[in-house]
Amino acid sequence: MPEGHTIHRLASRHRNLFGGTTVRVSSPQGRFAAGAAVLDGLRFVGAVAHGKHLLHRYEGDRTVHIHLGLYGKVTDGDGAPPEPFGEIRLRMSNDAHWLDLRGPTACELLDPPGVDTLMARLGPDPLKRGADAVAAYAKIARSTRPIVSLLMDQSIVAGIGLIFATEALYRAGVNPTTPGRDFPAQEWLPLWTDLRALMAAAVIAGRIDTVREEHTPEAMGREPRVDRHGGEVYVYRRTGQPCLVCGTDVRQDALSGRNLYWCPTCQK
DNA sequence: CAGATATGACAAC
DNA sequence: TTGTCCTATCTGG
């Protein structure tokens, strides 16, 4: 379930589990064996997130760059690590904790210039203090691409995925296919602020909830939503179900390989 | 048990 | 725009 909030949660968890300790590092699957051999026995300095990218920092300016992609998952636990099963790209452990990484798009060792190159291609992360919202809008304002694609473009804003983009646009009453250059400048800061609030709440909750107080299951007298994602949302994966506000059937379409969900009434 | 599916990103047309 | 990659889990038969 990797949008930016997940990565920020992982970064702080990994700081807590391993920060300042010497760690064993391996790659049971073998695909990160060379990197693991370099890191094994080094001190884990800390972990930071930027957007959907997770950086594990080790002594000696070694950095592991992790990107979960669509399927990547991290699990951890206390005590000695369990017998490996499945495809474990990266395993870490210290005296008290262990961690397994499976299915990431990226798990690579970077030197400082490599980290700089990575950061240079990422836009501002709404979850970080000082993130430059105005710079992000400058790119949006001169693009003809749909606003939903621009929000998910990591070089424009880092950390937003399909759920946050879909739901924030619903809350803003903006049709997801609106070309960037037609998105009004005065609506950008409210949208950015809303995104930041949704993402920050998701970091704390560990799930994405976007439904306002007045439309919650309790307020509406309806059953709580239950699905794989687990959060209360307005339109994401609610195809064919009635819009929580106006009752119109939620629509779904494909847009450049991703799913698009919107209410045709609330999002003119 | 095969097939579909998933909150992502990139290369190649 | 399409194809490819990464892996686990859910679905239907």
Side-chain angles (χ1 to χ4, degrees):
Chain A
M1 25 176 174
E3 294 197 27
H5 68 300
T6 303
I7 311 308
H8 281 263
R9 279 171 70 85
L10 290 176
S12 74
R13 181 155 184 88
H14 298 172
R15 282 195 293 273
N16 291 336
L17 296 179
F18 300 106
T21 69
T22 295
V23 294
R24 303 305 309 268
V25 182
S26 63
S27 179
Q29 174 200 54
R31 293 189 49 181
F32 187 58
V38 170
L39 301 169
D40 190 32
L42 294 186
R43 194 165 59 90
F44 184 88
V45 176
V48 294
H50 189 96
K52 300 170 185 172
H53 298 259
L54 176 63
L55 301 179
H56 281 181
R57 303 193 310 119
Y58 288 78
E59 64 178 305
D61 272 338
R62 313 271 191 189
T63 300
V64 180
H65 167 224
I66 295 168
H67 191 294
L68 295 182
L70 199 48
Y71 321 113
K73 281 187 173 56
V74 182
T75 52
D76 64 56
D78 297 332
E83 200 56 33
F85 66 92
E87 300 292 316
I88 304 173
R89 184 81 59 90
L90 168 69
R91 167 169 278 193
M92 300 169 56
S93 63
N94 60 15
D95 290 343
H97 310 286
W98 57 270
L99 171 159
D100 285 344
L101 168 68
R102 298 163 205 272
T105 288
C107 175
E108 58 179 350
L109 203 49
L110 294 182
D111 56 12
V115 174
D116 292 344
T117 302
L118 168 67
M119 297 306 276
R121 66 178 171 84
L122 297 176
D125 178 345
L127 285 171
K128 293 190 139 178
R129 269 182 301 122
D132 190 348
V134 174
Y137 182 71
K139 293 178 182 170
I140 291 170
R142 70 177 110 89
S143 175
T144 58
R145 292 162 57 204
I147 183 71
V148 66
S149 302
L150 295 168
L151 290 178
M152 287 192 288
D153 183 331
Q154 303 300 300
S155 70
I156 297 179
V157 184
I160 295 177
L162 185 59
I163 305 180
F164 284 127
T166 297
E167 293 293 308
L169 290 172
Y170 175 87
R171 287 164 59 98
V174 174
N175 190 291
T177 59
T178 306
R181 66 179 179 196
D182 295 341
F183 183 86
Q186 68 271 18
E187 292 181 25
W188 172 244
L189 277 184
L191 179 60
W192 169 274
T193 303
D194 195 42
L195 274 164
R196 190 173 53 192
L198 291 174
M199 294 170 82
V203 171
I204 293 167
R207 52 182 247 178
I208 301 177
D209 292 295
T210 63
V211 174
R212 296 188 177 92
E213 191 63 40
E214 63 266 37
H215 304 129
T216 57
E218 304 78 56
M220 305 281 284
R222 64 179 170 83
E223 289 302 306
R225 174 176 196 266
V226 180
D227 82 357
R228 194 193 323 214
H229 154 253
E232 285 289 339
V233 291
Y234 281 106
V235 288
Y236 171 71
R237 278 170 52 118
R238 291 194 64 247
T239 313
Q241 298 176 52
C243 171
L244 300 181
V245 174
C246 75
T248 306
D249 284 356
V250 171
R251 294 257 277 270
Q252 175 180 354
D253 211 340
L255 181 68
S256 47
R258 304 300 298 278
N259 289 323
L260 191 61
Y261 307 89
W262 80 103
C263 168
T265 302
C266 296
Q267 296 168 271
K268 267 303 266 148

